[in-house]
C-alpha cells in the first residue's frame, strides 16, 4: 500500500516541523525564492567544495582506470535515487531525502574507509577522540564549508536541523531491522559514536537504509568487473540464486520492493526476515571477499604512509605561541605544502581572519589540540589525488 507514512512526512502538518526546519542562523533568504527549506539546503550542499571533491574520492576501489567503477560521488547519487524511490512510495518528503542523501558522505576522507581508519588512529592518539565520517560530515557543514552570501561575505552552510541530523545519523554499517525515528530533538553535539541515535525524521531513516541498499550490490558489480571475484563467483551465485537475484539492478529492485511492502508506522522501515538475512549474507560476503581481499591490502599500506606523512609534516610545525613564525620557516622546505595549508587555515583561526569571513572561529592556532584537529579536518577534505600530490611534494626535491 502506497503512502503508508504520509501522515509522518516532514511537512508543515508534522508536529516536529519547527524543530525540523530550524537553522542556527540564516545566510540569506530572498523574498522571491521559489525553493523550499530543504531545496535550499540541497543547493547549498551541491555548490560547496566538499561535495565537488567527492568525484575524486575512493568508494571502495582506489584510482580505477575503468571509468565505470564507482567513486564516492556516484555512490551519493545512488543513495539519492534509492531514497527518492522509497520516500515517494511511502509518502515522505523527497526533497528532504534528496538533501540528506546529497550531503550524507560529505565528511568522508580520501581513500575511503581505509583513510577513515588511519585518520581515526591519528585522532585517538593525538586528540583523544575517534574520527568517523558521519560526525566529520556534520562538522564540515557546520564549521568548515563556506559559501558567499549576498553581501559577498563567506559564511557556513547553516543547514536545517533535519538535514544536519540526517548526515550524522546515516551510519549504514550496522545490521538493524525495523528502523524508526527518535522523538527527541537532541543537541547533535551529543553524538559520541556512529549509530548512537536513530535519525530524527522518517526521511533520515530512509537515507540510512538506502545507503546500505546502494553500496551492497554496486560493490559486487565493481568487484566482478575488476576480476576480484573470479574465484568466488560460485559462492556468490549460490547466495543470490537462492533468492532469485542475479545482478546489482535486480538486487536493488528486490531490496527496495521488499522494504516498501514490509514497512509501516508500527514496524518501522522493515525488510522481511528472508530479505534481511539475504542482506546479512551479502554483507558478510563483501567484507570477506571484497573489502578485506588481498588485492586491496597493498594500497591500504600506501594510504597509511601518505596520510601519516602529511600529518606528521604539518604537525611538526607546531611550537606553541611561535607556530606562526615557524610556519614561515618550514615554508622554505615545503613551500607549496605549507602555503596550501595556511591558506586553508586562515579562514578558521584566531590569529588571522579574512574580513569577508563571517563564520565562527574554529581554531586557536596556539592551542595544540586545535592545531592537530585542524590538520585532521584539512586532510579529511582532500581528494585522493591531492593527498598523493601533497605527499609527493613532501618527499620530492
Amino acid at each position: 500500500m502506497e503512502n503508508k507514512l504520509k501522515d509522518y512526512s516532514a511537512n508543515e502538518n508534522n508536529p516536529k516541523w519547527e524543530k525540523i526546519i530550524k537553522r542556527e542562523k540564516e545566510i540569506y533568504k530572498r523574498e522571491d525564492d521559489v525553493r523550499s527549506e530543504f531545496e535550499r539546503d540541497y543547493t547549498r550542499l551541491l555548490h560547496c567544495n566538499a561535495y565537488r571533491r567527492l568525484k575524486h574520492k575512493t568508494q571502495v576501489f582506489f584510482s580505477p582506470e575503468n571509468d565505470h567503477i564507482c567513486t564516492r560521488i556516484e555512490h551519493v547519487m545512488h543513495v539519492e535515487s534509492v531514497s527518492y524511490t522509497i520516500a515517494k512510495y511511502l509518502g515522505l518528503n523527497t526533497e528532504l531525502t534528496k538533501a540528506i542523501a546529497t550531503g550524507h558522505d560529505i565528511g568522508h576522507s580520501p581513500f575511503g574507509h581505509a583513510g577513515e581508519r588511519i585518520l581515526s588512529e591519528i585522532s585517538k592518539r593525538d586528540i583523544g577522540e575517534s574520527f568517523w565520517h558521519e560526525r566529520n560530515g556534520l562538522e564540515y557543514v557546520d564549521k568548515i564549508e563556506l559559501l558567499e552570501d549576498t553581501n559577498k561575505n563567506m559564511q557556513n552552510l547553516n543547514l536545517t536541523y533535519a538535514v544536519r541530523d540526517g548526515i550524522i545519523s546515516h551510519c549504514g554499517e550496522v545490521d538493524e531491522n525495523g528502523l524508526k525515528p527518535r522523538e527527541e530533538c537532541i543537541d547533535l553535539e551529543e553524538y559520541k559514536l556512529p549509530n548512537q541515535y536513530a535519525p530524527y525524521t522518517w526521511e533520515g531513516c530512509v537515507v540510512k537504509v538506502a545507503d546500505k541498499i546502494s553500496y551492497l550490490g554496486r560493490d559486487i558489480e565493481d568487484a566482478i568487473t575488476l576480476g576480484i571475484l573470479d574465484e568466488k563467483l560460485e559462492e556468490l551465485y549460490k547466495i543470490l540464486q537462492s533468492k532469485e537475484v542475479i545482478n546489482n539492478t535486480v538486487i536493488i529492485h528486490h531490496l527496495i520492493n521488499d522494504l516498501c511492502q514490509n514497512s509501516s508506522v508500527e514496524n518501522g522501515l522493515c525488510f522481511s526476515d528472508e530479505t534481511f538475512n539475504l542482506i546479512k549474507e551479502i554483507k558478510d560476503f563483501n567484507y570477506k571477499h571484497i573489502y578485506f581481499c588481498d588485492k586491496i591490502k597493498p594500497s591500504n599500506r600506501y594510504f597509511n604512509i601518505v596520510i601519516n606523512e602529511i600529518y606528521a609534516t604539518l604537525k611538526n610545525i607546531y611550537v606553541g605561541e611561535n607556530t606562526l613564525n615557524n610556519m614561515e620557516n618550514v615554508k622554505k622546505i615545503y613551500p607549496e605544502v605549507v602555503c596550501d595549508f595556511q591558506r586553508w587555515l586562515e579562514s578558521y583561526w584566531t590569529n588571522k581572519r579574512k574580513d569577508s569571513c563571517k563564520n565562527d572561529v574554529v581554531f586557536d592556532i596556539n592551542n595544540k589540540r586545535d592545531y592537530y584537529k585542524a590538520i585532521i579536518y584539512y586532510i579529511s577534505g582532500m581528494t585522493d589525488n591531492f593527498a598523493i600530490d601533497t605527499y609527493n611534494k613532501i618527499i620530492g626535491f
Side-chain angles (χ1 to χ4, degrees):
M1 182 179 68
E2 295 186 45
N3 297 321
K4 288 186 284 188
L5 300 180
K6 184 177 181 180
D7 292 341
Y8 300 86
S9 174
N11 58 47
E12 294 179 356
N13 297 320
N14 191 313
K16 294 180 175 181
W17 179 244
E18 292 304 319
K19 294 177 181 177
I20 285 172
I21 63 169
K22 181 182 178 182
R23 301 179 190 274
E24 294 302 313
K25 60 181 180 179
E26 188 55 74
I27 298 180
Y28 60 84
K29 191 169 185 177
R30 298 183 179 94
E31 292 182 2
D32 59 349
D33 202 334
V34 298
R35 298 171 298 168
S36 71
E37 292 295 327
F38 303 134
E39 286 177 315
R40 295 170 68 219
D41 283 0
Y42 166 71
T43 53
R44 288 178 186 181
L45 287 161
L46 195 66
H47 294 153
C48 77
N49 287 331
Y51 175 80
R52 295 169 180 174
R53 291 193 293 263
L54 293 176
K55 63 180 175 289
H56 294 303
K57 290 194 175 190
T58 294
Q59 169 62 13
V60 174
F61 302 105
F62 167 66
S63 191
E65 294 183 4
N66 188 323
D67 291 333
H68 303 139
I69 300 301
C70 193
T71 62
R72 183 63 57 180
I73 202 165
E74 187 179 346
H75 165 71
V76 166
M77 290 187 285
H78 282 310
V79 175
E80 193 278 314
S81 173
V82 171
S83 61
Y84 175 87
T85 301
I86 296 169
K88 183 180 179 182
Y89 180 87
L90 295 176
L92 296 172
N93 190 322
T94 57
E95 292 176 359
L96 177 52
T97 56
K98 184 175 185 177
I100 296 172
T102 299
H104 86 279
D105 266 357
I106 209 167
H108 250 295
S109 62
F111 313 128
H113 285 285
E116 183 175 21
R117 288 190 292 270
I118 296 163
L119 280 180
S120 190
E121 291 171 1
I122 291 171
S123 184
K124 284 186 286 188
R125 181 193 70 206
D126 283 3
I127 63 176
E129 63 181 35
S130 298
F131 172 93
W132 36 290
H133 75 271
E134 295 93 343
R135 184 174 67 182
N136 194 54
L138 176 66
E139 293 177 348
Y140 244 78
V141 299
D142 282 354
K143 302 176 182 178
I144 304 300
E145 280 304 305
L146 300 172
L147 291 178
E148 189 175 79
D149 65 17
T150 51
N151 296 315
K152 297 189 179 299
N153 294 315
M154 301 302 291
Q155 296 199 39
N156 294 121
L157 304 190
N158 296 304
L159 304 179
T160 59
Y161 180 85
V163 174
R164 296 172 57 244
D165 171 78
I167 290 172
I168 197 171
S169 301
H170 82 264
C171 177
E173 303 303 313
V174 178
D175 294 325
E176 58 188 334
N177 210 12
L179 179 62
K180 298 179 182 179
R182 69 177 191 274
E183 290 299 323
E184 302 80 14
C185 182
I186 63 172
D187 180 347
L188 297 179
E189 292 294 323
E190 292 182 19
Y191 264 92
K192 302 303 179 186
L193 67 160
N195 206 52
Q196 185 175 356
Y197 301 101
Y200 186 56
T201 62
W202 282 100
E203 287 81 1
C205 293
V206 166
V207 173
K208 183 174 182 177
V209 176
D211 186 27
K212 180 174 288 188
I213 291 174
S214 299
Y215 74 70
L216 283 176
R218 183 54 196 266
D219 293 351
I220 289 174
E221 180 181 296
D222 286 350
I224 291 174
T225 300
L226 294 172
I228 290 173
L229 296 179
D230 286 353
E231 298 179 2
K232 308 298 179 183
L233 288 178
E234 188 63 30
E235 180 180 345
L236 175 64
Y237 181 74
K238 288 179 180 178
I239 294 172
L240 302 184
Q241 185 186 47
S242 64
K243 307 299 187 299
E244 299 181 354
V245 289
I246 55 175
N247 60 40
N248 181 42
T249 301
V250 178
I251 290 172
I252 289 178
H253 173 79
H254 174 76
L255 297 183
I256 289 175
N257 276 9
D258 187 272
L259 182 77
C260 288
Q261 295 303 319
N262 288 280
S263 296
S264 66
V265 174
E266 296 76 22
N267 296 332
L269 296 184
C270 186
F271 295 100
S272 66
D273 290 341
E274 181 183 17
T275 296
F276 186 61
N277 288 332
L278 170 63
I279 290 172
K280 289 193 288 185
E281 288 183 65
I282 295 173
K283 184 180 174 183
D284 290 345
F285 176 89
N286 285 10
Y287 270 90
K288 182 179 180 181
H289 298 304
I290 300 176
Y291 309 140
F292 295 127
C293 72
D294 290 340
K295 178 67 175 177
I296 286 179
K297 291 177 181 178
S299 59
N300 287 348
R301 292 192 289 270
Y302 177 58
F303 304 153
N304 189 67
I305 294 171
V306 169
I307 291 176
N308 272 286
E309 193 58 48
I310 296 171
Y311 180 81
T313 299
L314 297 177
K315 174 184 176 180
N316 289 337
I317 295 173
Y318 180 81
V319 289
E321 294 183 359
N322 292 319
T323 296
L324 189 57
N325 292 331
N326 193 43
M327 191 172 287
E328 296 303 316
N329 295 329
V330 179
K331 277 183 188 178
K332 299 172 186 176
I333 306 172
Y334 308 112
E336 290 186 70
V337 173
V338 177
C339 282
D340 285 342
F341 178 56
Q342 185 174 359
R343 278 193 296 269
W344 177 88
L345 191 59
E346 283 177 354
S347 293
Y348 311 105
W349 66 4
T350 54
N351 293 60
K352 185 175 180 181
R353 293 293 303 277
K354 296 178 181 178
D355 292 338
S356 63
C357 270
K358 301 299 182 182
N359 58 304
D360 296 331
V361 170
V362 181
F363 311 114
D364 177 355
I365 196 172
N366 296 320
N367 180 288
K368 181 189 291 188
R369 190 179 189 279
D370 275 12
Y371 183 80
Y372 292 170
K373 181 73 172 179
I375 303 172
I376 293 169
Y377 276 132
Y378 180 60
I379 294 175
S380 75
M382 292 180 175
T383 63
D384 297 359
N385 291 337
F386 187 82
I388 291 169
D389 185 54
T390 301
Y391 170 74
N392 287 336
K393 289 173 180 175
I394 290 171
I395 66 173
F397 291 93

